[in-house]
């Protein structure tokens, strides 16, 4: 017989009771502390209030600490001989999580190796949990039997006045309002409440209100042949009993948004709601407008929202009033009561993966939600992730291709500029002769230009030519970047800042000719200003775009052609639709190419293809120049031809041979701590434990590492990682759980497991 003592902190010995007991049992999970679910009895007075998807208070442990928990199931059942404690109270009057969402969060917890409680905590915004924008008010009223005998009561004048005023009021009043109206203090009101001549109740009211966007209406476009075919395929899935996810692979400018919009219209016509997920960076006014100009009652969820507004939007969505929810990653949890479709635009975008617990990917969560709620999921992109593309090839997803641009506009011609040759001439700038000539020609022809450089700051490398000393972050040991705007050197990983050195900081050297080299967007901006001084230019990177609204303001200047040249990091590579952009220059295509990351080639292909897609969108045509030191690299070559199929054809066999994603599953284990030796030792233990476990189970998990992570030190912590690959996802999961249970983690080490990792640094 299993002794339950200790688990629940109960003092009864189970064998004292022999009868199996039956009762209403609530299972709850907690967001911190123990991972497992606990059972509690629902006392009679709380029946109907304790429901799945609501928060409750329960006693925990020997001390019966009162803790908050999420109720995930309520069931009348036999609970054997255990002595169950009682739920103490209900915290929510409304259900926060529907049964579908409970299933989905349970799946997430399992898949991403997180606790269910943690997942629920992440799914329900803090603003909703904290009831932001609402407050509790006490409302007073006079019971009818009191009101009938008002005249017979013996009261002071003030009490009399209060009671008659309240009895005559059309609705309950707060103590404050009542006192104001009668020009009295709280004293007579309190006395009346004590005498039970006035009753009170506490209610939560919202004081928030946000107006709907007021945006000019646009009508539906008549679809191109490709769009019409795409819409038909989608609608067939809308009406399927168990719809298949759809990959909408459409080249840049093929008109994917119009397809989404007409598909959503169909969903709304059936009285259902649609969720549209976009990368955070694409949540621009242009995106909002595209949807708001076509639909009533949309809710846009973004990260700059106040808690009050977030709570208000959540409630609107939950009430079913909202037709279309547009938002970044976490909008996949929007509490739409009758979901009809999920759209995930730019499905390849890495911002859909969350880099804190639970480390979910919105695309996978969306696929699960779509499956549970039996609605279609549309994944749109010009450059599908190989994961999605592979599933489509396997027939798991429906594939729609839109290989042509709207109006049969040609895709822009892409040329590479081999920067290796420029080196021999001693040329040190960012802009090659060819690119210089193209910029000049474009400016003369009144065109606009986008220049992409995926490195912010001025000089990305500060080194003493005398002793070779490289200026690095003291906490991360990574090279600092010089920011000319404030004369500082900045660590791009931990934001450590110091003043730029004038002489070599190495005390033994002190040489005065310290060299700033490597090109960031600030230096590029300077070079462009020097070379094309009569043309206005704007720089967009996370340094210039710190203030809310600056992103929109910059794009507006570019849209109305006040600015002719736009310089920026990858934030300018996506989604922009400006017909007057006739030249795109990629300053250095190789920035991501040599990262120790299985997706380095894929990222490079995506970035070039996406930024190239920003041009040739009008009648003026377009041209793209890609500066690179690796013009023959397959990813760059495929991108210059706009040839996704070619890219995938070359990349997939390589991934298969090395047992990598999308063929095998991957889990990345990262450990960090201030003492290098202890982190290293711990990771070796993890590696060995996994090996032992796998051998015992007779399965196969291949390991890369453990080794120092590409970012070896971050904020004073040494970092090691271990990559696990396997065809058997469940085995890997079991192996990680086994390590969690088996290995004692040193106090100064923290470790995490990232399932389907994206970030390899
Ligand atoms: P994508 O997202 O595939 O890159 P967009 O949705 O941005 O493409 O569409 C490109 C451009 O074509 C936009 O300016 C859009 O308004 C326009 N467009 C889309 N569909 C049509 C259509 N059926 N007729 C005319 N213009 C269209
Ligand atoms: Zn740092």
């Amino acid at each position: 017989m299993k002794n339950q003592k200790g688990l629940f902190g109960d003092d009864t010995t189970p064998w004292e009771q022999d009868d199996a007991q039956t009762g209403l049992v609530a299972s709850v999970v907690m967001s911190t502390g123990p991972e497992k679910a606990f059972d509690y009895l629902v006392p009679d007075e709380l029946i109907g209030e304790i429901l799945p998807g609501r928060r409750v208070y329960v006693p925990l442990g020997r001390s019966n600490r009162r803790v908050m928990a999420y109720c995930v199931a309520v069931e009348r059942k036999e609970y054997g001989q255990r002595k169950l404690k009682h739920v103490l109270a209900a915290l929510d009057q409304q259900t926060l999580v529907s049964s579908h969402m409970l299933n989905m969060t349970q799946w997430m917890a399992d898949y991403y190796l997180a606790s269910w409680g943690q997942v629920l905590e992440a799914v329900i915004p803090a603003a909703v949990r904290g009831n932001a924008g609402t407050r509790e008010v006490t409302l007073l009223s006079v019971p009818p039997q009191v009101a009938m005998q008002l005249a017979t009561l013996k009261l002071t004048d003030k009490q009399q006045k209060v009671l008659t005023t309240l009895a005559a009021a059309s609705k309950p009043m707060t103590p404050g309002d009542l006192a104001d109206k009668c020009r009295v203090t709280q004293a007579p009101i309190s006395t009346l409440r004590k005498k039970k001549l006035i009753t009170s109740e506490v209610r939560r009211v919202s004081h928030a209100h946000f107006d709907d966007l007021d945006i000019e209406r646009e009508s539906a476009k008549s679809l191109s042949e490709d769009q019409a075919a795409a819409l038909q395929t989608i609608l067939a899935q809308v009406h399927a009993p168990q719809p298949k996810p759809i990959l909408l692979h459409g080249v840049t400018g093929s008109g994917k948004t119009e397809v989404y919009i007409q598909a959503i219209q169909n969903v709304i016509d059936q009285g259902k709601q649609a969720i549209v997920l976009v990368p955070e960076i694409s949540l621009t006014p242009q995106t909002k407008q595209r949807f708001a100009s076509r639909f009533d009652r949309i809710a846009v969820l973004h990260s700059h929202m106040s808690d009050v507004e977030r709570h208000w939007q959540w409630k609107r969505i939950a009430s079913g009033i909202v037709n279309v929810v547009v938002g970044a990653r976490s909008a996949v949890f929007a509490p739409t009561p009758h979901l009809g479709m999920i759209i995930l635009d730019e499905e390849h975008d890495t911002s859909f993966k969350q880099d804190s617990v639970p480390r979910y990917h919105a695309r996978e969560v969306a696929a699960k939600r779509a499956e549970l709620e039996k609605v279609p999921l549309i994944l749109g992109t010009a450059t599908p992730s190989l994961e999605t593309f592979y599933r489509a090839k396997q027939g798991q997803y429906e594939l729609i291709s839109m290989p042509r641009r709207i109006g049969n506009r040609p895709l822009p011609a892409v040329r590479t500029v081999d920067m290796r040759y420029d080196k021999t001439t001693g040329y040190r700038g960012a802009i090659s002769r060819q690119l210089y000539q193209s910029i000049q020609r474009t400016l003369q022809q009144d065109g606009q230009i986008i220049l992409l450089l995926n490195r912010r700051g001025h000089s990305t490398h500060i080194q003493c030519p005398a002793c070779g000393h490289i200026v690095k972050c003291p906490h991360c040991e990574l090279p600092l970047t010089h920011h000319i705007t404030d004369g500082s050197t900045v660590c791009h990983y931990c934001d450590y800042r110091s003043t730029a050195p004038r002489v070599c900081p190495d005390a033994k050297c002190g040489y005065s000719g310290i060299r700033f080299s490597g090109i960031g967007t600030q230096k590029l901006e300077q070079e462009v200003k020097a070379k094309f001084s009569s043309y206005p230019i704007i720089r967009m990177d996370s340094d210039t775009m710190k203030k809310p609204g600056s992103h929109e303001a910059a794009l507006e200047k570019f849209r109305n052609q006040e600015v002719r040249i736009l310089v920026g990091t990858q934030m300018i590579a996506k989604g922009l639709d400006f017909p007057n952009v006739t030249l795109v220059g990629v300053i250095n295509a190789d920035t991501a190419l040599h990262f120790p990351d299985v997706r380095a080639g894929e990222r490079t292909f995506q970035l070039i293809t996406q930024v190239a897609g920003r041009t040739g969108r009008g009648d003026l045509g377009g041209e793209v120049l890609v500066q690179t030191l690796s013009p023959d690299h397959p990813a760059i070559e495929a991108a210059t031809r706009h040839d996704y199929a070619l890219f995938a054809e070359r990349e997939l066999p390589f991934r298969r041979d090395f047992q990598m994603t999308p063929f095998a599953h991957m889990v990345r284990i990262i450990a960090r701590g201030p003492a290098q030796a202890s982190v290293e030792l711990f990771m070796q233990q993890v590696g060995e434990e996994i090996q032992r476990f796998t051998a015992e189970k007779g399965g196969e998990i291949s390991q890369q590492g453990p080794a120092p992570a590409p970012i070896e030190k971050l904020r004073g912590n040494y970092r090691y990682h271990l990559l696990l690959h396997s065809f058997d996802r469940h085995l890997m999961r079991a192996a990680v759980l086994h390590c969690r249970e088996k290995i004692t983690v040193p106090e100064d080490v923290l470790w995490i497991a990232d399932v389907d990792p994206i970030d390899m640094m």
Side-chain angles (χ1 to χ4, degrees):
M1 181 176 293
K2 227 169 99 195
N3 187 351
Q4 295 287 336
K5 198 167 165 176
L7 249 188
F8 295 88
D10 288 338
D11 292 319
T12 44
T13 21
W15 51 84
E16 279 175 2
Q17 302 168 344
D18 271 320
D19 309 328
Q21 310 165 81
T22 310
L24 193 62
V25 176
S27 298
V28 310
V29 295
M30 289 149 205
S31 61
T32 54
E35 280 207 9
K36 60 184 287 272
F38 289 93
D39 283 349
Y40 287 89
L41 277 177
V42 179
D44 286 350
E45 67 271 20
L46 291 181
I47 290 176
E49 275 186 62
I50 307 292
L51 294 174
R54 295 187 184 190
R55 290 169 305 168
V56 297
Y57 285 115
V58 292
L60 185 70
R62 276 173 196 285
S63 61
N64 283 329
R65 196 157 45 91
R66 179 184 168 98
V67 298
M68 196 273 283
Y70 291 91
C71 176
V72 292
V74 175
E75 201 185 344
R76 188 163 290 283
K77 65 177 182 190
E78 225 172 70
Y79 55 95
Q81 291 148 353
R82 297 180 286 164
K83 183 168 184 237
L84 294 187
K85 295 181 188 178
H86 285 207
V87 178
L88 299 174
L91 187 90
D92 298 309
Q93 272 95 55
Q94 270 159 358
T95 302
L96 299 180
V97 193
S98 68
S99 63
H100 281 313
M101 293 288 265
L102 277 175
N103 287 339
M104 191 182 82
T105 48
Q106 187 178 25
W107 171 84
M108 278 176 73
D110 182 77
Y111 188 92
Y112 291 107
L113 299 163
S115 85
W116 195 354
Q118 274 178 326
V119 174
L120 284 166
E121 190 97 344
V123 163
I124 307 165
V128 173
R129 285 183 269 122
N131 279 314
T134 65
R135 59 202 157 94
E136 286 199 328
V137 293
T138 304
L139 293 174
L140 305 178
S141 48
V142 180
Q145 61 275 29
V146 177
M148 286 191 299
Q149 29 177 311
L150 267 186
T152 64
L153 296 165
K154 287 212 164 57
L155 298 168
T156 65
D157 285 356
K158 281 184 182 163
Q159 290 169 354
Q160 188 73 45
K161 187 166 182 194
V162 167
L163 207 54
T164 14
T165 308
L166 186 58
S170 59
K171 54 180 193 225
M173 292 175 81
T174 64
D177 289 347
L178 183 56
D180 285 352
K181 187 141 191 211
C182 302
R183 293 166 198 265
V184 296
T185 63
Q186 285 297 320
I189 300 175
S190 301
T191 314
L192 289 167
R193 285 173 75 179
K194 270 187 216 132
K195 290 187 174 175
K196 303 239 177 341
L197 295 174
I198 289 180
T199 53
S200 65
E201 84 179 295
V202 178
R203 236 187 267 164
R204 190 166 273 290
V205 297
S206 168
H207 55 73
H209 181 77
F210 298 87
D211 286 325
D212 249 347
L213 302 155
D214 190 16
I215 278 171
E216 215 175 293
R217 278 299 145 132
E218 274 170 31
S219 47
K221 294 181 167 64
S222 66
L223 297 181
S224 73
E225 212 175 293
D226 283 353
Q227 285 174 318
L231 184 64
Q232 252 191 353
T233 310
I234 293 170
L235 294 185
Q237 289 302 325
V238 169
H239 300 289
Q242 182 68 60
K244 247 193 204 180
I246 294 162
L247 166 58
L248 177 56
H249 180 196
V251 296
T252 54
S254 56
K256 293 185 283 291
T257 311
E258 189 62 28
V259 176
Y260 303 152
I261 288 178
Q262 301 207 11
I264 293 171
Q265 189 58 56
N266 186 282
V267 166
I268 296 176
D269 291 345
Q270 297 172 53
K272 295 183 180 170
Q273 300 101 35
I275 297 176
V276 182
L277 303 172
V278 301
E280 179 80 42
I281 199 82
S282 311
L283 268 178
T284 57
Q286 192 182 8
T287 308
K288 284 179 217 170
Q289 193 193 334
R290 275 185 160 182
F291 291 93
S293 66
R294 302 289 283 278
F295 301 115
D296 286 327
R297 298 188 306 215
I298 75 163
V300 180
L301 306 177
H302 54 82
S303 59
H304 308 304
M305 234 152 76
S306 70
D307 276 1
V308 175
E309 184 177 3
R310 192 176 300 280
H311 185 209
W312 181 77
Q313 291 285 23
W314 168 282
K315 284 181 113 169
R316 277 180 80 213
I317 295 166
S319 76
I321 268 186
V322 170
N323 289 326
V324 187
V325 179
V326 182
R329 182 174 71 224
S330 63
V332 71
F333 307 123
T336 48
H338 302 289
L339 185 62
M341 176 177 289
I342 308 178
I343 290 164
L344 203 133
D345 191 29
E346 310 286 3
E347 71 79 36
H348 62 279
D349 196 90
T350 55
S351 74
F352 286 119
K353 170 95 170 156
Q354 168 144 307
D355 60 5
S356 57
V357 175
R359 298 185 156 71
Y360 69 90
H361 197 301
R363 184 179 62 218
E364 304 308 310
V365 175
K368 192 68 200 179
R369 185 164 180 191
E371 179 197 317
L372 288 169
E373 304 203 26
K374 299 190 181 355
V375 303
L377 165 68
I378 301 165
L379 304 170
T381 177
T383 51
S385 65
L386 286 174
E387 286 78 10
T388 300
F389 184 69
Y390 183 62
R391 286 179 191 167
K393 274 187 62 158
Q394 300 287 97
Q396 229 174 313
Y397 290 179
E398 191 89 22
L399 175 65
I400 305 176
S401 288
M402 299 208 295
R404 285 173 291 251
R405 283 186 156 182
I406 289 293
N408 269 322
R409 285 193 186 107
L411 285 158
V414 184
R415 278 189 292 145
T416 48
V417 180
D418 189 342
M419 296 299 274
R420 287 174 303 188
Y421 297 131
D422 273 58
K423 279 274 183 287
T424 59
T425 64
Y427 175 72
R428 301 284 288 280
I431 297 171
S432 64
R433 195 166 39 81
Q434 290 97 312
L435 182 56
Y436 176 83
Q437 287 167 349
S438 289
I439 295 176
Q440 215 165 31
R441 188 168 358 101
T442 306
L443 290 170
Q444 280 159 9
Q445 291 166 357
D446 291 333
Q448 282 176 292
I449 297 153
I450 289 179
L451 297 178
L452 172 83
L453 176 59
N454 220 357
R455 290 241 169 102
R456 63 199 175 88
H458 189 260
S459 303
T460 53
H461 192 77
I462 313 171
Q463 188 171 21
C464 172
C467 75
H469 178 88
I470 294 173
V471 179
K472 289 182 177 172
C473 172
H475 309 296
C476 307
E477 284 175 20
L478 293 161
L480 293 179
T481 297
H482 180 218
H483 282 232
I484 201 153
T485 37
D486 58 358
S488 64
T489 53
V490 181
C491 173
H492 283 180
Y493 297 90
C494 76
D495 214 37
Y496 164 84
R497 278 161 201 271
S498 62
T499 325
R502 269 178 244 274
V503 300
C504 176
D506 190 334
K508 290 192 292 273
C509 174
Y511 178 69
S512 60
I514 191 150
R515 190 175 290 155
F516 293 77
S517 58
I519 296 165
T521 44
Q522 293 178 2
K523 196 185 273 183
L524 174 63
E525 181 186 20
Q526 277 186 338
E527 187 177 333
V528 173
K529 276 185 174 156
K531 288 191 164 133
F532 309 98
S533 53
S534 45
Y535 296 95
I537 156 176
I538 200 161
R539 170 166 63 91
M540 285 180 73
D541 53 32
S542 49
D543 296 309
T544 58
M545 297 295 123
K546 278 199 179 112
K547 269 198 298 188
S550 46
H551 195 246
E552 291 86 63
L555 290 181
E556 190 47 42
K557 276 193 186 154
F558 194 58
R559 181 189 322 281
N560 65 28
Q561 303 189 28
E562 217 175 292
V563 165
R564 300 286 298 283
I565 307 175
L566 175 63
V567 170
T569 53
Q570 59 176 355
M571 73 167 60
I572 62 171
K574 288 170 205 151
L576 307 184
D577 184 22
F578 299 127
N580 199 43
V581 173
T582 51
L583 174 64
V584 164
V586 179
I587 301 301
N588 181 359
D590 310 348
T591 45
L593 201 51
H594 305 295
F595 280 158
D597 181 337
V598 43
R599 296 189 183 89
E602 187 175 352
R603 292 277 167 271
T604 302
F605 175 82
Q606 285 165 352
L607 189 64
I608 298 175
T609 309
Q610 292 290 340
V611 74
R614 297 314 111 213
T615 182
R617 295 173 84 90
D619 301 327
L620 307 164
E623 170 189 17
V624 183
L625 285 184
V626 177
Q627 302 188 148
T628 171
L629 296 173
S630 329
D632 305 325
H633 190 284
I636 292 183
E637 206 200 329
T640 60
R641 299 204 211 157
H642 305 285
D643 197 341
Y644 180 84
L646 177 68
F647 163 73
E649 227 165 76
R650 287 169 172 176
E651 185 75 10
L652 282 173
F654 158 79
R655 299 274 187 94
R656 189 182 50 230
D657 292 350
F658 287 88
Q659 297 197 7
M660 302 227 194
T661 172
F663 297 92
H665 302 279
M666 194 163 30
V667 173
R668 181 179 183 227
I669 295 177
I670 309 154
R672 63 163 204 257
Q676 185 169 14
S678 114
V679 179
E680 187 177 7
L681 189 70
F682 169 77
M683 281 299 262
Q684 275 164 2
Q685 250 180 305
V686 173
E688 283 159 19
E689 197 58 55
I690 288 176
Q691 223 159 28
R692 199 169 317 131
F693 180 85
T694 325
E696 205 183 288
K697 296 278 166 200
E700 207 179 312
I701 298 178
S702 60
Q703 301 191 14
Q704 276 178 287
I711 297 177
E712 276 186 65
K713 199 181 168 198
L714 186 65
R715 297 186 179 92
N717 286 308
Y718 291 91
R719 304 169 79 242
Y720 276 74
H721 72 167
L722 170 65
L723 288 174
L724 308 178
H725 304 266
S726 178
F727 292 110
D728 185 346
R729 189 175 73 75
H730 300 285
L731 180 68
M732 259 196 309
R733 178 176 176 278
V736 175
L737 292 178
H738 170 78
C739 288
R740 273 196 197 162
E741 216 159 83
K742 191 90 182 199
I743 305 176
T744 325
V745 189
E747 249 174 41
D748 59 350
V749 173
L750 268 177
W751 73 288
I752 59 140
D754 188 0
V755 177
D756 304 340
I758 294 273
D759 180 359
M760 295 296 176
M761 300 307 277

